[in-house]
């Protein structure tokens, strides 16, 4: 390990997989390994199913929980002994910052087999929505073939996937929107926390409301009636993950109609729904761990995914997640996160 971490330049991540086949029960010196890794590579991120820096999401399908918190209590889990639901969803009351990573292979197995075929580009897009779009990092396994090269077939899929992403996210219909909010930290004229900050693609500029409110709203006027089926939201996670529950409405015949409800946002939330059309949208944040902060809001059209309808569009995987959060806050377990 010392050789690997001292003779080959900067190392971004050390992956401790945890799989050992049918080997007998063994004890490992994980704490000593972690200390050595961080001593030799101070900026490195250590992954395992229980952290310490990032955690396994709990499956190998590349799918995170519909609710996905970066905080976790590391004291609740140990390597080799984790709780699937806890891995997928994280912990809004967690004391440790351990964001989830989603791993999946482009082909059925983890190693090269000429008889296997890669997933197609739209399947990768769906995985992207359910991993990166749920506040996770996606690790896509692309194995070399028997010649030590990435196969042409895999390269073609990856290129198609890249082109699809570029096509979808290169046109943000909200880029020139007029944005207002029911309050702004320091007053409506305070540009530091202005609602329009959410149109900048950066987590370092953001909208902040007045302190101490119990509900929060932002209004977006796109300037003209527009068709879309995808939303992107982001929080400035350097200041913590805050939003617990929110919904987005559109204005139809002077009435607000909800098009999507969701839970956590985190670094990035992507929400896909049936194609709709409107000029005005409203973001309503129902509950948050602390005063919510929004760094980005985007409106897009995905014309590549399979047709969606109300029965198969993105929904919560576990309604108990919301019930648990509401119960926890009613019991007074409110976070002390501050801006």
């Amino acid at each position: 390990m010392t050789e690997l971490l001292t003779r080959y330049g900067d190392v971004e991540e050390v992956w401790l997989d945890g799989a050992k086949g049918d080997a007998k029960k063994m004890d490992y010196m994980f704490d000593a390994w972690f200390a050595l890794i961080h001593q030799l590579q101070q900026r490195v991120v250590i992954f395992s199913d229980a952290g310490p820096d990032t955690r396994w999401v709990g499956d190998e399908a590349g799918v995170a929980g519909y609710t996905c918190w970066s905080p976790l209590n590391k004291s609740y889990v140990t390597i080799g002994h984790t709780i699937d639901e806890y891995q997928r969803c994280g912990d809004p009351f967690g004391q440790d910052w351990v964001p989830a990573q989603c791993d999946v292979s482009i082909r059925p197995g983890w190693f090269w087999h000429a008889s296997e075929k890669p997933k197609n580009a739209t399947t990768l897009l769906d995985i992207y929505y359910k991993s990166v779009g749920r506040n996770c990092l996606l690790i896509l396994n692309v194995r070399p073939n028997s010649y030590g090269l990435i196969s042409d077939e895999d390269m073609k899929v990856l290129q198609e996937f890249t082109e699809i992403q570029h096509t979808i996210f290169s046109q943000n219909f909200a880029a020139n929107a007029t944005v207002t909010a029911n309050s702004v930290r320091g007053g409506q004229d305070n540009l530091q926390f202005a609602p329009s900050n959410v149109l900048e693609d950066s987590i370092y500029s953001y909208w902040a409301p007045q302190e101490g409110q119990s509900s929060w709203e932002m209004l977006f006027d796109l300037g003209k009636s527009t068709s879309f089926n995808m939303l992107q939201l982001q929080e400035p996670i350097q200041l913590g993950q805050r939003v617990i529950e929110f919904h987005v409405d559109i204005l139809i015949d002077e009435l607000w109609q909800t098009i999507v409800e969701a839970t956590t946002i985190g670094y990035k939330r992507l929400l896909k729904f049936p194609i709709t059309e409107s000029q005005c949208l409203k973001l309503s944040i129902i509950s948050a761990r602390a005063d919510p902060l929004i760094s980005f809001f985007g409106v897009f059209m995905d014309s590549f995914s399979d047709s969606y309808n109300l029965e198969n569009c993105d929904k919560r995987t576990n309604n108990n997640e919301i019930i648990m959060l509401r119960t926890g806050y009613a019991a007074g377990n409110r976070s002390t996160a501050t801006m």
Side-chain angles (χ1 to χ4, degrees), residues 4 8 30 58 69-70 81 95 115 124 130 138 149 168 170 206 212 253 262 281 288 328 334:
L4 290 173
Y8 302 98
F30 287 119
W69 293 96
S70 293
H81 300 87
Q95 300 300 307
S115 60
L124 294 185
K130 294 175 180 177
L138 172 61
L149 303 172
I168 294 171
S170 62
Y206 51 89
D253 296 330
L281 298 88
R334 190 171 180 85

Side-chain angles (χ1 to χ4, degrees), residues 181-195 197 206-213 216 291-293 339:
N182 62 343
S183 77
V184 178
R185 181 75 52 85
Q188 294 289 342
D189 295 329
N190 186 358
L191 297 181
Q192 181 180 0
F193 302 123
N197 288 344
Y206 51 89
W207 164 73
Q210 292 283 13
E211 296 176 285
Q213 293 184 251
W216 307 268
D291 295 324
L293 309 173
M339 187 179 70

Side-chain angles (χ1 to χ4, degrees), residues 2-39:
T2 299
E3 176 188 340
L4 290 173
L5 297 177
T6 58
R7 297 181 59 181
Y8 302 98
D10 293 337
V11 176
E12 297 293 331
E13 181 169 346
V14 173
W15 178 287
L16 301 179
D17 183 88
K20 58 179 181 179
D22 297 325
K24 65 180 181 179
K25 183 180 183 302
M26 299 174 65
D27 294 323
Y28 299 92
M29 299 182 293
F30 287 119
D31 289 340
W33 293 354
F34 295 160
L36 177 62
I37 292 168
H38 279 142
Q39 175 186 342

Side-chain angles (χ1 to χ4, degrees), residues 305-334:
S305 297
D306 293 338
S307 297
Y308 274 60
N309 57 43
L310 293 177
E311 284 70 42
N312 64 16
C313 61
D314 199 7
K315 295 182 180 180
R316 297 188 189 108
T317 57
N318 185 354
N319 289 331
N320 290 331
E321 297 167 8
I322 290 296
I323 296 172
M324 178 274 289
L325 293 174
R326 288 174 175 160
T327 303
Y329 279 84
N333 292 326
R334 190 171 180 85

Side-chain angles (χ1 to χ4, degrees), residues 26-217:
M26 299 174 65
D27 294 323
Y28 299 92
M29 299 182 293
F30 287 119
D31 289 340
W33 293 354
F34 295 160
L36 177 62
I37 292 168
H38 279 142
Q39 175 186 342
L40 299 177
Q41 292 276 345
Q42 295 182 6
R43 295 177 58 85
V44 76
V45 170
I46 301 175
F47 166 95
S48 80
D49 52 358
D53 301 322
T54 64
R55 71 180 192 267
W56 182 45
V57 79
D59 63 58
E60 293 181 344
V63 177
Y66 188 85
T67 294
C68 190
W69 293 96
S70 293
L72 195 79
N73 273 321
K74 289 191 286 189
S75 60
Y76 290 0
V77 293
T78 57
I79 296 177
H81 300 87
T82 58
I83 305 167
D84 288 348
E85 190 74 5
Y86 198 61
Q87 296 295 108
R88 280 193 297 273
C89 299
D91 188 342
F93 312 119
Q95 300 300 307
D96 305 296
W97 187 263
V98 191
Q101 292 189 358
C102 297
D103 60 318
V104 65
S105 181
I106 195 171
R107 291 174 179 247
W110 292 100
F111 300 98
W112 168 259
H113 297 286
S115 60
E116 295 178 348
K117 298 297 181 182
K119 297 174 174 63
N120 60 39
T122 54
T123 298
L124 294 185
L125 181 64
D126 184 62
I127 291 172
Y128 182 82
Y129 289 153
K130 294 175 180 177
S131 55
V132 175
R134 294 180 179 177
N135 186 41
C136 291
L137 176 70
L138 172 61
I139 299 179
L140 180 63
N141 176 57
V142 183
R143 79 296 304 277
N145 60 23
S146 54
Y147 296 99
L149 303 172
I150 303 301
S151 73
D152 291 341
E153 196 173 14
D154 290 6
M155 286 294 296
K156 180 180 179 182
V157 170
L158 293 172
Q159 289 168 348
E160 290 175 353
F161 175 48
T162 300
E163 291 169 2
I164 287 174
Q165 283 185 289
H166 177 75
T167 300
I168 294 171
F169 295 105
S170 62
Q171 185 174 13
N172 177 11
F173 297 118
N176 298 309
T178 299
V179 190
T180 57
N182 62 343
S183 77
V184 178
R185 181 75 52 85
Q188 294 289 342
D189 295 329
N190 186 358
L191 297 181
Q192 181 180 0
F193 302 123
S196 59
N197 288 344
V198 305
L199 303 181
E200 300 178 23
D201 192 2
S202 169
I203 63 171
Y204 298 105
S205 59
Y206 51 89
W207 164 73
Q210 292 283 13
E211 296 176 285
Q213 293 184 251
S214 58
S215 63
W216 307 268
E217 290 184 352

